[in-house]
């Protein structure tokens, strides 16, 4: 068995970062073309919401299973499965010339969890005290992929059509598959890690077992509740960009590239310094408090220039929140369960994508774009207050 100590850890991490950048490139290429393809096929806001719900449900079901699959069979097998599913996903997207086929092409997404798989690789190969920084660096390459994918998707779909852009995504996924097979070791767990993962990957009892570890249920609940309002906004973002800000496909690509640049700077130059100086509990509180203020600013935003200013604290709060909660949760479980834990973490966004379109569509049609910001402000403020009081009580009890 080849494992982490038997390979050059630094080289594996570099390849993992490269795969992350490429995978996110193809992801955002798809994100930048799908709304316009859906509109060309006659989708309105309601049916586009159904499409988002469909992929949310598919990935929600696949996330925990994928994480446990990675723990049992290793990183290479899990990432290979994800890349192969991505190849099929883009081929089906290229063939989608009807509403039915556009829904059908989402099915392979049940196995498409490359980023959580790469998070597992980074988690396995990094020390506990450097884990948040290592995960943040993975987020840096997420930003790079976000920039390149958004620009590529907008440009290719405008000049050559959505079908050609989808073929490019499929070819790119083949490149990822080759990189995984050649450079990612079969197993990335430490040799001295006792592995209790045996049996079927379809064990719902594993979720219950993970939630029983100290601090896991609380942190996971905070991750869902505090992340839900901003997640709903992200789910509806493509509709808001098209209808509220009136952006075309290429302009949308430029906007997503700008978001990627902001995220890249935050993940690469900011989060590492913050995690080195402040505790994870403090950073979690800070991110939720900042997210509350971002919600208020977002509610008052009326044009694209204002939104571009709000994006900076928005991306800062989201990036810190995601990195810190993932780091805290993986530290709360044994090393042989990190894949399953990251699979659960990866299911939070699909959960939002499942319920988000229904909530978001109702809010958008009934109360307008500002409602997203006001709800985010309220939920984050309440979560911040409860978490602050909980930490204060714990600290008081500790010093008695």
């Amino acid at each position: 068995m080849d494992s982490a100590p038997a390979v050059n850890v630094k080289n594996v991490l570099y390849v993992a970062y490269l795969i992350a950048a490429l995978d996110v490139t193809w992801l955002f290429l798809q994100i930048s073309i799908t709304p316009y393809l859906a509109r060309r096929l006659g989708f309105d806001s309601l049916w586009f919401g159904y499409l988002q719900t469909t992929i949310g449900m598919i990935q929600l079901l696949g996330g925990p299973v994928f994480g446990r699959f990675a723990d049992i069979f290793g990183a290479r097998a899990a990432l290979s499965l994800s890349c192969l599913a991505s190849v099929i996903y883009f081929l089906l997207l290229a063939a989608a010339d009807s509403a039915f086929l556009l829904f059908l092409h989402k099915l392979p997404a049940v196995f498409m969890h490359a980023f959580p798989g790469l998070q597992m690789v980074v988690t396995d190969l990094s020390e506990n005290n450097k884990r948040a920084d290592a995960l943040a660096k993975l987020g840096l390459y997420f930003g790079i992929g976000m920039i390149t994918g958004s620009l590529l998707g907008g440009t290719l779909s405008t000049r050559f059509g959505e079908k050609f852009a989808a073929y490019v995504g499929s070819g790119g996924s083949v490149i990822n598959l080759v990189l995984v097979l050649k450079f990612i070791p079969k197993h990335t767990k430490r040799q001295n890690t006792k592995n209790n993962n045996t049996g079927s990957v379809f064990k719902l009892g594993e979720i219950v077992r993970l939630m029983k570890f100290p601090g896991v249920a609380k942190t996971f609940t905070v991750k869902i509740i505090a992340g839900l309002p901003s997640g709903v906004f992200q789910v509806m973002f493509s509709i808001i960009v098209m209808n509220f800000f009136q952006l075309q496909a290429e302009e949308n690509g430029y906007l997503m590239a700008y978001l990627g640049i902001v995220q890249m700077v935050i993940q690469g130059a900011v989060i590492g310094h913050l995690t080195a100086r402040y505790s994870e509990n403090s950073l979690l509180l800070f991110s939720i408090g900042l997210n509350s203020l971002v919600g208020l600013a977002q509610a008052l935003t009326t044009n694209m220039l204002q939104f571009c200013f709000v994006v900076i604290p928005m991306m800062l709060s989201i990036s810190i929140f995601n990195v810190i909660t993932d780091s805290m949760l993986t530290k709360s479980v044994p090393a042989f369960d990190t894949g399953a834990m990251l699979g659960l973490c990866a299911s939070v966004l699909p959960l939002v994508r499942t319920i988000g379109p229904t909530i978001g569509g109702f809010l958008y049609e009934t109360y307008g774009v500002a409602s997203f910001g006001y709800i985010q402000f309220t939920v984050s403020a309440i979560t911040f207050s409860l978490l602050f009081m909980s930490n204060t009580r714990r600290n008081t009890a500790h010093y008695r």
Side-chain angles (χ1 to χ4, degrees), residues 44-68:
D44 57 15
S45 299
L46 182 63
W47 275 96
F48 187 77
Y50 292 152
L51 186 67
Q52 294 288 83
T53 298
T54 299
I55 191 171
M57 292 178 64
I58 289 170
Q59 292 204 303
L60 178 61
L61 293 172
V65 174
F66 180 87
R68 182 159 168 76

Side-chain angles (χ1 to χ4, degrees), residues 297-311:
Q298 191 177 301
L300 301 175
T301 298
T302 58
N303 58 59
M304 181 52 64
L305 181 61
Q306 293 172 353
F307 180 74
C308 287
F309 282 109
V310 174
V311 156

